[in-house]
Amino acid sequence: GLFLALLPDSMHRTVPAVLLAHVWVNLAVVVRTVGSSVSQLDPRLADAAATLGATPLQRMRHITLPLLRPSILASSAVVFLFCFTSFGIVRLIGGPTHPTVEVEIVRLATQLGDVDRAVALSVVQLVALAVATDGGGSTRIPAACNGVPLRQGNSESMLTSLNDDRQDAAAITAGRPAAHPRRLHLSRG
């Protein structure tokens, strides 16, 4: 197809071509899932951490990434499923020299007539998918700003206030009411 026409001849029917095709096809899933979460982030959380002395890297690590974790995990699971079960991309781009489980299942059932082994391989694949996608990982949002060093001179009340704000931000993000609504003014966007 068109994707093969865009690749240099040296990449036709290669593993890098298959990987590139998977990236191309699944990029939209990641951009759509994670992008919508990015647009809903409240910039005041990162601004508060910056006021308390957090570097841009610390804000990304302790605020942005933990808040995006559920959408990153969701898009990763969907992309994993799409890649693990992609028959068409591997068959068309990789050709017969790079078979996957799906290609082997089709070969067993249609070319060799060994439906029993094809079914057994399908069951193994389903079990592997079930195990791989049920990681049991928590989607709880870690406390924003956790471990961010504070500027000297901040009082204990500021630390308490920051902790209360973190708890309220996590509660609002999870759809629960804030415990300290007078101090925290986050909109749900």
Side-chain angles (χ1 to χ4, degrees):
L2 178 62
F3 189 80
L4 279 175
L6 297 173
L7 290 175
D9 289 339
S10 62
M11 285 191 69
H12 285 211
R13 310 282 188 226
T14 63
V15 172
V18 172
L19 295 176
L20 258 168
H22 278 110
V23 168
W24 179 258
V25 168
N26 292 304
L27 186 62
V29 173
V30 175
V31 168
R32 178 86 169 133
T33 307
V34 178
S36 66
S37 294
V38 168
S39 68
Q40 294 178 4
L41 290 179
D42 188 346
R44 292 179 288 180
L45 291 173
D47 293 344
T51 302
L52 295 171
T55 66
L57 183 62
Q58 289 171 321
R59 291 191 306 260
M60 175 66 79
R61 182 172 170 233
H62 295 290
I63 296 172
T64 305
L65 288 178
L67 291 172
L68 293 177
R69 184 173 183 250
S71 63
I72 291 171
L73 290 176
S75 65
S76 297
V78 169
V79 166
F80 174 78
L81 287 171
F82 285 172
C83 290
F84 196 77
T85 60
S86 73
F87 172 77
I89 290 176
V90 175
R91 187 73 170 152
L92 294 173
I93 306 291
T97 57
H98 302 291
T100 59
V101 175
E102 293 78 23
V103 174
E104 185 62 17
I105 291 168
V106 170
R107 189 182 74 78
L108 284 171
T110 61
Q111 294 176 357
L112 301 180
D114 192 351
V115 177
D116 291 338
R117 281 187 23 198
V119 168
L121 197 53
S122 297
V123 170
V124 168
Q125 182 186 25
L126 286 173
V127 169
L129 280 173
V131 168
T133 57
D134 187 25
S138 169
T139 56
R140 145 188 103 73
I141 299 172
C145 306
N146 189 21
V148 175
L150 300 175
R151 290 183 181 157
Q152 290 182 343
N154 288 336
S155 66
E156 185 66 26
S157 65
M158 286 184 75
L159 292 174
T160 302
S161 175
L162 178 62
N163 189 40
D164 291 346
D165 288 350
R166 277 191 256 153
Q167 291 171 359
D168 287 346
I172 289 170
T173 306
R176 297 187 312 267
H180 311 91
R182 290 182 301 265
R183 281 203 310 269
L184 186 67
H185 303 287
L186 294 177
S187 64
R188 290 201 42 101

